[in-house]
Amino acid sequence: MWQEWQKMEEKLKTLSKTKCNFCSGIAKWPKLEEQVKEFVLNHTKAGIALSTKMIIIQAVKISKELQIHDFKGTASWCQRFMKRHELRMRIRNRIAQRMPDDYEEKIINFHNFIIKQRKRQNFEIGQIGNMDEVPLTFDVPSNKTVEARGAKTVTIKTSGHEKNHYTVVLAVTADGNKLPPLVIFKRKTLPKEKIPSGIQVHVHPKVWMDEQGMKLWIRNVWEKRPGALLKKPSLLVLDSFRSHLTEPTKREFQMCKTEIAVIPGGLISQLQPLDVCINKPFKALMREEWNKYMCDKTNMKKCGISNALDGEEDELIYEDSSNESSSVHFNFEDSEDEEFLGFPDSDF
């Protein structure tokens, strides 16, 4: 880069002090950008949330169709594209959690407890874990989407199930292992459908983790982690939800030689490893899968547009979709996070 600067020395000297490069603001690939803009507008009109990563992927796809070989689809191109076409990243309004007044003292006490337990029992890194319940809905519209500048209300299409909840119980160990998830459904009996292998299922009328669910999780997930069969001493970090701390639950942990460390109330965002590092990308990936489902090509078939010509898919036209699709309206505010590249990669 230094060599490139030396070659452009005279041109750089003529630049205004407010400019950092030779970008003219004129699109290098106008036909490509018009098609990408049409893609963005069609998706926002249909109520489908868009990330900049999705825009870049579509732009690369279009560049191949147009046989543009020097287009790389970088984040900086996406930023300039959005600026040229007056598109902004919109973020859904949210309220931050208030920290307790004595939070510093509570954090120090919690860390002292962890250090004391580790010195006393000499836990292996793989035997230190964290478990957390993640509430989800069957509809997960994104908090961010690309929309025209100035719009205050954005419509996002859903399947009408944004208020139907379920809970996913995630767990990790300090050496990087991710334990199998437990899914809690809002019902009284176990579902009859075949459950994919590696997933535990529990039911509760209010989609909560209860004593029975904790017993199921401890025996079928926590006690199946690497090293558990050897009854090695272990440490599990939990929040203060009441089902984690009942006497039956404590006896289950004692039987498998597990000490528990309870996170003080109001400090989950600071001391819960899953909440700090894993839950957000997990939810983002769930949202990405939901977006793929909402964009699925079968939606075209319900309108009789892309059905097989031999008549095998004609029944899709007559499916009653009145209860399957609806729209929700969110108030959004402008976001300066123009470099948002969409949903983070994860092994989940």
Side-chain angles (χ1 to χ4, degrees):
M1 182 56 69
W2 177 256
Q3 291 175 347
E4 292 297 320
W5 288 341
Q6 286 182 318
K7 293 177 183 178
M8 298 187 295
E9 183 177 358
E10 295 304 320
K11 288 185 177 181
L12 289 170
K13 288 180 179 179
T14 62
L15 277 178
S16 168
K17 292 183 179 180
T18 59
K19 292 200 67 174
C20 301
N21 52 45
F22 292 110
C23 294
S24 62
I26 301 173
K28 184 177 180 180
W29 306 281
K31 191 173 181 180
L32 179 144
E33 292 202 3
E34 283 301 318
Q35 292 191 29
V36 174
K37 182 181 179 181
E38 183 180 359
F39 164 81
V40 171
L41 296 179
N42 287 340
H43 275 65
T44 54
K45 185 177 180 181
I48 300 171
L50 277 177
S51 69
T52 50
K53 184 176 181 180
M54 294 168 68
I55 293 175
I56 291 172
I57 291 172
Q58 182 66 17
V60 171
K61 180 181 177 182
I62 293 173
S63 70
K64 292 178 180 178
E65 295 173 355
L66 298 177
Q67 297 184 347
I68 300 175
H69 303 295
D70 57 342
F71 179 77
K72 297 181 180 179
T74 61
S76 58
W77 167 83
C78 188
Q79 185 181 17
R80 294 193 298 273
F81 161 77
M82 291 174 61
K83 186 175 181 180
R84 279 192 289 268
H85 296 278
E86 295 191 339
L87 300 172
R88 294 293 297 271
M89 182 59 64
R90 315 303 305 282
I91 183 169
R92 188 175 170 184
N93 298 335
R94 57 173 65 105
I95 300 173
Q97 181 185 16
R98 185 179 182 278
M99 300 286 285
D101 295 333
D102 56 346
Y103 76 94
E104 291 182 347
E105 181 182 353
K106 288 184 176 180
I107 289 175
I108 292 172
N109 291 338
F110 179 79
H111 286 158
N112 287 339
F113 174 80
I114 294 290
I115 294 170
K116 181 180 178 181
Q117 292 295 320
R118 290 186 62 188
K119 288 181 177 179
R120 184 170 66 88
Q121 302 211 40
N122 194 28
F123 302 114
E124 294 181 7
I125 291 297
Q127 303 308 309
I128 301 176
N130 175 223
M131 182 267 271
D132 188 27
E133 294 90 353
V134 183
L136 294 171
T137 57
F138 287 96
D139 270 337
V140 280
S142 177
N143 288 329
K144 288 187 176 183
T145 187
V146 176
E147 180 57 277
R149 186 191 299 268
K152 297 300 180 183
T153 301
V154 179
T155 301
I156 295 178
K157 180 184 285 187
T158 72
S159 65
H161 297 284
E162 61 270 12
K163 293 184 179 180
N164 293 340
H165 295 264
Y166 65 101
T167 298
V168 178
V169 183
L170 300 179
V172 295
T173 54
D175 61 351
N177 278 323
K178 292 181 281 291
L179 305 185
L182 169 70
V183 181
I184 305 175
F185 291 114
K186 185 179 182 179
R187 50 187 297 159
K188 295 181 179 180
T189 59
L190 288 171
K192 296 180 180 179
E193 291 80 7
K194 184 179 179 181
I195 304 299
S197 61
I199 298 177
Q200 299 294 321
V201 174
H202 182 53
V203 294
H204 189 277
K206 295 186 177 180
V207 209
W208 292 348
M209 174 65 93
D210 56 6
E211 286 184 359
Q212 190 61 32
M214 284 299 300
K215 181 179 179 180
L216 175 68
W217 182 83
I218 293 170
R219 295 188 177 184
N220 293 350
V221 178
W222 182 244
E223 290 189 7
K224 299 295 178 63
R225 73 187 186 282
L229 293 177
L230 301 176
K231 295 293 182 181
K232 296 179 179 179
S234 56
L235 176 68
L236 184 64
V237 178
L238 300 164
D239 59 40
S240 56
F241 192 67
R242 62 175 176 267
S243 65
H244 300 166
L245 307 176
T246 63
E247 290 304 319
T249 299
K250 290 180 180 179
R251 286 195 294 269
E252 289 287 335
F253 281 130
Q254 290 172 359
M255 290 171 60
C256 59
K257 299 180 67 174
T258 297
E259 295 286 342
I260 60 174
V262 181
I263 299 172
L267 294 176
I268 291 176
S269 62
Q270 303 293 315
L271 300 174
Q272 177 94 281
L274 280 163
D275 199 67
V276 172
C277 303
I278 302 296
N279 291 353
K280 184 177 180 180
F282 172 72
K283 289 180 178 180
L285 284 169
M286 292 293 291
R287 183 177 294 117
E288 185 174 14
E289 291 301 315
W290 179 82
N291 281 328
K292 289 178 182 178
Y293 167 76
M294 294 301 292
C295 295
D296 191 87
K297 59 184 179 181
T298 57
N299 292 332
M300 298 284 286
K301 295 179 181 179
K302 289 183 180 181
C303 298
I305 296 173
S306 62
N307 307 61
L309 297 178
D310 58 9
E312 289 186 356
E313 297 175 332
D314 285 356
E315 73 279 359
L316 294 175
I317 302 175
Y318 306 105
E319 283 187 353
D320 182 10
S321 61
S322 59
N323 295 324
E324 293 182 1
S325 181
S326 62
S327 297
V328 292
H329 303 273
F330 292 132
N331 290 325
F332 284 76
E333 60 185 16
D334 288 339
S335 171
E336 299 300 325
D337 186 12
E338 301 286 3
E339 292 293 339
F340 171 69
L341 289 181
F343 311 107
D345 294 328
S346 172
D347 293 330
F348 279 105

